[in-house]
Amino acid sequence: MPQKLELTWVGKDQRPQLEPRILLEDARFSYHAPHRVTEADSFDNKLIFGDNLLALRALEAEFTGRVKCVFIDPPYNTGSAFTHYDDGLEHSIWLGLMRDRLEIIRRLLSEDGSLWITIDDNECHYLKVLCDEVFGRQNFVANVIWQKVYAPKNAARFFSVDHDHILVFSKAIGELRLNPMPRTEKQNSNYKNLDNDSRGLWRSDNLLASLTGGQRGAQFAKSGVSKDIYDVIGPTGKVFRPRAGTSWRVSKEKFKALDEENRIWWGKDGNSSPALKRFLNETKNGRVPQTFWSFEEVGHTQDAKKEVTAFNSNEIFSTPKPEYLIKRILEVATNPNDLVLDSFAGSGTTGAVAHKMGRRWIMIELGDHCHTHIIPRLQKVINGTDQGGISKAVNWQGGGGFRYYKLAPSLLQHDRWGNLTINPSYNAAMLAEALCKLHGYTYAPSETLFWQHGYATERSFIYTTTQTLTFDQLQALAEEVGEDRTLLIIASAWRGITGEEASTRWRNLTLKKIPHSLLNLCEWGKDDYSLNIANLPLAQPKPTAMTPTPKPKKTAAPLGQGSLFAADEG
């Protein structure tokens, strides 16, 4: 196998076999406005309570290729949590956890979609290389610098860290279409109308081009000649020629046409070097996004903390993200009614901002603050009583709603003898939906045909039952399905015929037994794929002169356990 450039870490080859859980709505926590406020109100937004890796896996069947923008604010690093543990493991574990999530996120994104990740210097550069590997280096878009604080930290040992990074990746760079950012009053103030031009405000632009670089410079270096070096005569008869190392940006013919259209500015007295007049009403309705975002434009962490404590006075987020920061991201990356995903919901900022901006949203959170912070916040947004953050800027009046989901328990569980059996908490509908997901079928039970629980194509269906089917029942099913359709039957057992005999006798039927056919499909009974620090190998005490200690072996901690990835700062 040919070698390739890649980032390696301890345990990189370990990948979880995720169970595609179904989502169960808990109507006690779902919330909707009593009536429509606008025609654009969205009521089917999703708040999912559960492990975010399992939740991402649960979304794949329905939302693959449908998410326009993913914003995530993952745990930046393990920090002091690893103080007493074996050095060098934290990056490996963190990278493994991120890789598993990024791979699913990429599948969820639409072809013109984009991923935005806030991260600090501790893991940014590891994460950039990891994203290059998952998304392809050609799909890297930008590293935006967000100025997150408004004053330097004078107590810092070396540098006051004033920024975070926002890594931006596309699903397919050729399909990505970002929106321009709104023009600022400061930018528009550069436009004047010094000559009372009837076309309105304009600003002067340089008409000279460098001949020391680029394609123009390369051609000049070869020939020593440029057709764009020529004399022009101003209104007063003064002659102008490009200075050494430059040429005019336009041809002689184009220059003449621009001058005749009064698009050349010669200065108030007509003796200045010519400049191009660019009119405000001819510019793009916005500006190209830049890679430095100041706190004056998009807010800082203190703004964000005030926004969060307005819903819950318990300050549990050290670096929350202000609403104006998320607003900027969604302005650039999405349009109204696009779908936005945040799998590290934190305090719920992404959902709150997306809701106010008319975007549909999905958020995932496992921490208790899903109930103490996110739900109260969203209720105030929907009621229209949240007038903080971006509310006034977008004239938010309330409306819409969301549905609250939790992950279903594992389909299979161990009985008292250690055998995997169907979880008794599953009713017939839950079982059918879960088996559809496991086998790649869309769950869509027919109202008229009892054996159609889902479909893979227009002529391929699935039927699930915990009953034992007889030969006569299978024969009847084969006849009803017909020769032009196929049916996957998943049942506890069947009598009067073997599975091999059935596939020969009825070519339109495929038989599988539960739970035996499911045992090796995924990891059963595992509810937590976050990091449990208690499972890490403790660092050995430093050896003393009296008692030498052998060098400990470094082993990878189990990937995907515990609580580090249960909360973020969003």
Side-chain angles (χ1 to χ4, degrees), residues 94-325:
W94 193 87
L95 287 167
L97 292 166
M98 285 301 300
R99 185 270 314 274
D100 297 337
R101 287 154 176 80
L102 290 171
E103 288 181 339
I104 299 178
I105 285 171
R106 184 183 180 278
R107 294 193 288 269
L108 292 173
L109 280 171
S110 60
E111 289 301 302
D112 60 349
S114 57
L115 167 66
W116 302 65
I117 315 175
T118 50
I119 198 76
D120 73 357
D121 285 327
N122 286 288
E123 298 291 354
C124 175
H125 307 91
Y126 288 97
L127 182 59
K128 166 62 168 66
V129 179
L130 175 61
C131 287
D132 284 344
E133 189 170 317
V134 173
F135 284 81
R137 190 171 181 179
Q138 73 278 7
N139 288 312
F140 171 68
V141 179
N143 177 14
V144 176
I145 301 302
W146 167 46
Q147 187 184 21
K148 65 180 180 180
V149 298
Y150 60 87
K153 299 175 183 177
N154 293 321
R157 184 180 179 189
F158 297 116
F159 287 87
S160 172
V161 179
D162 297 344
H163 73 278
D164 274 346
H165 303 263
I166 305 175
L167 295 179
V168 186
F169 276 82
S170 65
K171 172 76 170 285
I173 195 71
E175 301 296 324
L176 183 66
R177 300 290 183 271
L178 297 181
N179 298 319
M181 296 194 304
R183 298 185 60 84
T184 64
E185 291 185 11
K186 182 178 180 181
Q187 287 178 315
N188 289 341
S189 68
N190 294 326
Y191 289 79
K192 312 290 184 183
N193 194 349
L194 302 177
D195 59 353
N196 295 317
D197 195 305
S198 61
R199 288 165 289 192
L201 301 174
W202 56 268
R203 67 175 178 84
S204 60
D205 197 5
N206 186 18
L207 265 173
L208 294 176
S210 173
L211 292 178
T212 60
Q215 185 177 0
R216 193 190 299 258
Q219 292 174 347
F220 182 73
K222 287 181 180 179
S223 64
V225 177
S226 172
K227 62 181 178 60
D228 295 328
I229 299 177
Y230 51 86
D231 292 341
V232 295
I233 302 174
T236 63
K238 186 175 180 179
V239 178
F240 297 90
R241 189 175 182 82
R243 62 178 181 270
T246 66
S247 70
W248 301 117
R249 288 186 179 275
V250 296
S251 66
K252 191 171 186 178
E253 294 74 21
K254 179 66 174 176
F255 190 102
K256 181 180 179 183
L258 290 170
D259 195 22
E260 290 174 350
E261 295 172 7
N262 191 24
R263 289 179 179 268
I264 301 297
W265 174 243
W266 299 94
K268 289 184 177 181
D269 58 2
N271 280 320
S272 298
S273 181
L276 179 65
K277 291 167 65 176
R278 294 195 180 276
F279 292 90
L280 179 59
N281 59 16
E282 295 176 353
T283 62
K284 292 180 179 179
N285 187 25
R287 54 191 172 119
V288 175
Q290 296 174 280
T291 55
F292 176 75
W293 295 356
S294 69
F295 67 80
E296 292 98 340
E297 289 184 292
V298 297
H300 47 71
T301 54
Q302 291 304 313
D303 289 334
K305 288 180 179 180
K306 291 176 183 177
E307 292 167 0
V308 173
T309 54
F311 305 100
N312 189 310
S313 59
N314 294 323
E315 188 175 303
I316 63 173
F317 304 101
S318 58
T319 56
K321 304 302 175 284
E323 289 199 7
Y324 274 93
L325 176 67

Side-chain angles (χ1 to χ4, degrees), residues 278-445:
R278 294 195 180 276
F279 292 90
L280 179 59
N281 59 16
E282 295 176 353
T283 62
K284 292 180 179 179
N285 187 25
R287 54 191 172 119
V288 175
Q290 296 174 280
T291 55
F292 176 75
W293 295 356
S294 69
F295 67 80
E296 292 98 340
E297 289 184 292
V298 297
H300 47 71
T301 54
Q302 291 304 313
D303 289 334
K305 288 180 179 180
K306 291 176 183 177
E307 292 167 0
V308 173
T309 54
F311 305 100
N312 189 310
S313 59
N314 294 323
E315 188 175 303
I316 63 173
F317 304 101
S318 58
T319 56
K321 304 302 175 284
E323 289 199 7
Y324 274 93
L325 176 67
I326 306 302
K327 177 177 180 285
R328 167 68 61 83
I329 291 171
L330 298 187
E331 282 175 338
V332 172
T334 69
N335 295 305
N337 205 42
D338 281 342
L339 182 58
V340 177
L341 168 66
D342 184 349
S343 57
F344 295 91
S347 63
T349 304
T350 302
V353 173
H355 203 93
K356 295 175 185 179
M357 293 179 66
R359 275 66 168 170
R360 295 173 296 129
W361 54 266
I362 301 172
M363 290 195 294
I364 304 168
E365 184 51 63
L366 177 59
D368 291 338
H369 46 278
C370 182
H371 304 96
T372 60
H373 287 71
I374 296 179
I375 292 177
R377 180 177 196 170
L378 292 174
Q379 288 174 339
K380 289 188 176 182
V381 170
I382 293 165
N383 291 339
T385 56
D386 167 21
Q387 287 301 306
I390 69 165
S391 293
K392 290 183 172 59
V394 299
N395 191 30
W396 178 247
Q397 302 297 318
F402 68 91
R403 299 183 185 277
Y404 172 97
Y405 296 88
K406 58 185 179 182
L407 291 169
S410 183
L411 175 61
L412 299 187
Q413 67 174 26
H414 288 95
D415 62 18
R416 58 178 177 167
W417 294 283
N419 298 314
L420 282 170
T421 61
I422 299 294
N423 192 322
S425 66
Y426 273 68
N427 58 33
M430 291 170 61
L431 177 64
E433 184 178 358
L435 291 175
C436 282
K437 245 183 186 178
L438 279 163
H439 292 86
Y441 286 71
T442 299
Y443 177 63

